[in-house]
Amino acid sequence: MKDEEQSMKLLRILDSTGHFLSDDNQFLPIDRITKDDLLRLANLTLNETDVEFDEYDEKVLKNQAHRVIYKNVVQKLRDLHVRKKEFADQAARLFYEDYERYRQE
């Protein structure tokens, strides 16, 4: 029997602070996130089959900076996750249109 594939957690809330999954698979405080980390998280969100994020809860997050950063990052990654099929379909349509145009030439 094949083991069920576990989802990859990219963002979590622990001890009243937000954390993100770093490139060495460690959770670091969300206020240390860089643009490279954001790009990597976006790529993981688009390429992994199952990713997850802890729900944003301002009552749990005590640090104001963590609230702002975590809320924005989790919203963007969730939106990206929901829309990834749309992005893939759009890319396939663009490729198909180019393919048809070059095939007819």
Side-chain angles (χ1 to χ4, degrees), residues 51-71:
V51 295
E52 70 178 84
F53 322 96
D54 283 352
E55 289 293 326
Y56 169 76
D57 186 343
E58 71 179 34
K59 293 176 183 135
V60 175
L61 287 169
K62 303 298 183 196
N63 182 305
Q64 183 66 30
H66 283 234
R67 283 183 190 162
V68 171
I69 298 166
Y70 192 94
K71 181 179 182 181

Side-chain angles (χ1 to χ4, degrees), residues 28-103:
L28 299 177
I30 196 80
D31 59 355
R32 292 179 44 196
I33 199 164
T34 66
K35 67 178 182 178
D36 290 334
D37 294 321
L38 289 169
L39 180 58
R40 188 180 46 74
L41 293 174
N43 282 327
L44 288 170
T45 300
L46 287 172
N47 295 316
E48 293 295 320
T49 55
D50 195 14
V51 295
E52 70 178 84
F53 322 96
D54 283 352
E55 289 293 326
Y56 169 76
D57 186 343
E58 71 179 34
K59 293 176 183 135
V60 175
L61 287 169
K62 303 298 183 196
N63 182 305
Q64 183 66 30
H66 283 234
R67 283 183 190 162
V68 171
I69 298 166
Y70 192 94
K71 181 179 182 181
N72 285 299
V73 172
V74 78
Q75 285 176 340
K76 299 296 184 199
L77 292 179
R78 281 193 192 284
D79 184 49
L80 190 60
H81 183 64
V82 167
R83 296 183 64 202
K84 74 179 182 178
K85 182 170 178 11
E86 176 186 334
F87 294 143
D89 291 346
Q90 188 176 30
R93 275 194 307 277
L94 288 172
F95 176 77
Y96 182 75
E97 289 169 7
D98 286 344
Y99 170 78
E100 284 298 314
R101 186 176 19 196
Y102 291 118
R103 192 175 74 121

Side-chain angles (χ1 to χ4, degrees), residues 9-27:
K9 184 171 278 199
L10 300 180
L11 299 175
R12 74 175 185 187
I13 297 174
L14 179 68
D15 298 329
S16 301
T17 58
H19 296 85
F20 71 97
L21 185 66
S22 69
D23 60 351
D24 61 354
N25 290 323
Q26 301 296 315
F27 280 95

